[in-house]
Structures are given as structure tokens and as C-alpha cells.
């Protein structure tokens, strides 16, 4: 190695190589520990107060429910989300779910963990919103499960990803109207039965406070349907955290 080579390897130790940002894919010197450059981090639409005290949607004023929550009697206790669901975040979620960019779960889990640290929720199990097995096979993975796994790792709270299941392969919610969404999900979820015998009601969640995990929250219909099933199985309370939530402004 000549002198120049020695000098270059010395520089590599002192100034580590630029790291490619997971969001914009550019090589940046200021990439943060969760793999996102400062510019991306600062430009992403993080939810900021005031927000709806029930579902977490960004609002114009404090202490009032958003129009969705004012109408709906949600079965979940409270919801939180990291981002507003705009073009940028939509694209990020699309890359994560359909383009095989599963590594995007790393920054997503980081942001969701930070979001959980900012609130005073107490929960004792983490449950991902399940996909129907056929859909999961097509996609290759359950996007909510991967996020829930990371949250369980970061918080030390156990994951329960086998008990709540999806028994109907329903059309995608995004393509349906509000009324159709509600009908679409009726009876879509249930608790996996363990043990046999008549009258044996599965009480897998007896006395548990559950943190439900999903990628996107729109009207809260999925969260409600899952919550009803969990409450029916004995859960005391259900919280929901998602990466992105629709806007109400
Ligand atoms: Zn970037
Ligand atoms: Zn709300």
C-alpha cells in the first residue's frame, strides 16, 4: 500500500464512509442511527399537537374530537400515529409492503417506538392486525407483524401474534366507501380457539391490556373490529398504534 492508500484508510477510520439513506437512497454524511438522513427526517409529516385525544389525528384545536371520532363509538381506548398519511408516507408504505423494501421496517419501528415513549400508555401484550393467510402468502409477509415484532423487541413487552386471526379474505379497505368498509370487515377477525368442547369460550386475552399494531389508520374500522374481538376475549383495554393516519383538516 502506498502512502496515499495508507492516508485514505486512515481517513476511512476517522470519517466513516457516507451511508445511504433508506428513504431517499442518497449517500449522506448525516444519516441518523435508524438509517434516515436529516433532510428526510425533517421533511417527513410527523403528527404534531394538537391532535384528536381519541384517535390521534392532527387537529386545528385541542381537546375536541375529530369529526370521525365525534360520530363513531370506537371500541379501542386510544390511538396514536407517527405520520399524516400524505404522498410521501404513502410511497414509503407502498415500497415497504409491495416492493420488497422490508428494511424500511427499521426506521418505521424506530419512529413508532419514539411515539410510544412519548405517551403514558401501559399495556402488557402487543398484537399485530392479522392478514388473511392467503393475502400473507401472496405478499410474503404481514407488514403489521414485522412492525409489532420490532416494537416488542424495543419495549420488552411480549408479542402475541397467533391468537387474533383473520378468517375472511376481504377486499382491500382503501377501495371501499365508509359504509362498505364497515360491512366488509364484519366477522373478519376472531380468536384462534384452543382446546375443544362446547361452551369453551376462548379467553386468551383475559385481563390483558393490548397494544394493537397496524401500518395505516383511516376511519378506525379495522381497529374497532379487532378491538371488539379482543375485548370479547377478555381484554380490559385496547390501544392502537399505526405508522400513518389520514388527515381530518
Ligand atoms: Zn434521505
Ligand atoms: Zn379522532
Amino acid at each position: 500500500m502506498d502512502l496515499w492508500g495508507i492516508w485514505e484508510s486512515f481517513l476511512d477510520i476517522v470519517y466513516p464512509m457516507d451511508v445511504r439513506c433508506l428513504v431517499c437512497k442518497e449517500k449522506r454524511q448525516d444519516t441518523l442511527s435508524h438509517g434516515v438522513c436529516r433532510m428526510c427526517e425533517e421533511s417527513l409529516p410527523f403528527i404534531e399537537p394538537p391532535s384528536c385525544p381519541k384517535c390521534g389525528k392532527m387537529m386545528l384545536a385541542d381537546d375536541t374530537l375529530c369529526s370521525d371520532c365525534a360520530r363513531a363509538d370506537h371500541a379501542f381506548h386510544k390511538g396514536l400515529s407517527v405520520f399524516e398519511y400524505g404522498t410521501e408516507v404513502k410511497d414509503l408504505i407502498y415500497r415497504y409492503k409491495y416492493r420488497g423494501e422490508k428494511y424500511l421496517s427499521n426506521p418505521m419501528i424506530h419512529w413508532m417506538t419514539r411515539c410510544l415513549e412519548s405517551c403514558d400508555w401501559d399495556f402488557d401484550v402487543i398484537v399485530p392486525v392479522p392478514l388473511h393467510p392467503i393475502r400473507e402468502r401472496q405478499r410474503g409477509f404481514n407488514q403489521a407483524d414485522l412492525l409489532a415484532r420490532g416494537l416488542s423487541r424495543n419495549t420488552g413487552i411480549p408479542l402475541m401474534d397467533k391468537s387474533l386471526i383473520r378468517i375472511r379474505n376481504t377486499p382491500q379497505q382503501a377501495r371501499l366507501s365508509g359504509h362498505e368498509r364497515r360491512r366488509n370487515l364484519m366477522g373478519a377477525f376472531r380468536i384462534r380457539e384452543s382446546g375443544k368442547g362446547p361452551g369453551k369460550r376462548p379467553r386468551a386475552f383475559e385481563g390483558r391490556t393490548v397494544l394493537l399494531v397496524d401500518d395505516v389508520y383511516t376511519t378506525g374500522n379495522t381497529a374497532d373490529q379487532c378491538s371488539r374481538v379482543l375485548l370479547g376475549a377478555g381484554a380490559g383495554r385496547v390501544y392502537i398504534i399505526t405508522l400513518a393516519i389520514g388527515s381530518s383538516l
Side-chain angles (χ1 to χ4, degrees), residues 18-31:
D18 296 351
V19 181
R20 216 173 269 280
C21 165
L22 298 179
V23 174
C24 65
K25 299 182 176 175
E26 298 291 330
K27 274 193 168 181
R28 303 265 193 211
Q29 283 187 332
D30 59 353
T31 300

Side-chain angles (χ1 to χ4, degrees), residues 52-57 59 65-69 74 217:
C52 170
K54 186 76 182 176
C55 72
K57 250 177 219 165
M59 302 273 290
L65 294 173
C66 73
S67 53
D68 274 343
C69 291
H74 289 304
Y217 177 110

Side-chain angles (χ1 to χ4, degrees), residues 47-70 74 76 78-80 217 245 248:
I47 298 272
E48 279 167 24
S51 56
C52 170
K54 186 76 182 176
C55 72
K57 250 177 219 165
M58 230 155 100
M59 302 273 290
L60 290 172
D62 238 336
D63 288 333
T64 44
L65 294 173
C66 73
S67 53
D68 274 343
C69 291
H74 289 304
F76 63 87
K78 259 170 193 237
L80 260 187
Y217 177 110
I245 191 165
S248 67

Side-chain angles (χ1 to χ4, degrees), residues 160-179:
M160 259 177 103
D161 62 345
K162 301 278 187 285
S163 300
L164 180 67
I165 53 170
R166 197 164 194 140
I167 49 169
R168 279 179 42 225
N169 194 13
T170 52
Q172 280 195 327
Q173 288 288 93
R175 300 192 188 132
L176 306 171
S177 72
H179 178 64

